[in-house]
């Protein structure tokens, strides 16, 4: 795997238009079809996803910087998306 082909939770948050990288784990639970990390070093450690998989999933799901997570972590609260 080339280092340029992988992204961390912070970069995923940017792709999805989320406020914080820690909301990526919430999205992993909420969207079972969201790509899983290709590198997972274990609890509390580095996780990396393939950039192309996240970008393709984001496009299919309609995440183009239009969804934002409220301060309480509710992705539906701030964005008001269906």
């Amino acid at each position: 795997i080339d280092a340029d082909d992988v992204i961390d939770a912070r970069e995923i948050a940017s792709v999805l238009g989320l406020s914080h990288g820690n909301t990526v784990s919430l999205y992993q639970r909420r969207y079972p079809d969201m790509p899983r990390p290709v590198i997972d070093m274990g609890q509390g450690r580095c996780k990396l996803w393939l950039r192309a998989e996240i970008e393709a999933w984001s496009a299919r799901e309609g995440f183009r910087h239009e969804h934002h997570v409220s301060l309480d972590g509710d992705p539906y609260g701030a964005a008001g998306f269906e």
Side-chain angles (χ1 to χ4, degrees):
I1 296 176
D2 189 295
D4 292 333
D5 294 337
V6 292
I7 57 177
D8 63 9
R10 182 184 53 78
E11 291 176 273
I12 290 174
S14 177
V15 169
L16 299 180
L18 303 174
S19 301
H20 303 284
N22 61 357
T23 57
V24 171
S25 62
L26 172 69
Y27 272 52
Q28 291 272 224
R29 290 188 300 274
R30 186 158 293 184
Y31 299 98
D33 64 331
M34 183 177 180
R36 298 299 183 228
V38 292
I39 297 172
D40 184 344
M41 302 294 289
Q43 183 69 25
R45 298 187 64 202
C46 180
K47 291 181 177 150
L48 298 172
W49 289 257
L50 287 175
R51 178 185 304 276
E53 287 184 1
I54 293 296
E55 289 174 349
W57 179 82
S58 171
R60 279 192 313 274
E61 293 293 318
F63 291 101
R64 288 292 181 195
H65 299 283
E66 53 206 45
H67 303 306
H68 297 279
V69 174
S70 66
L71 294 177
D72 66 358
D74 179 7
Y76 297 106
F81 64 91
E82 297 87 45

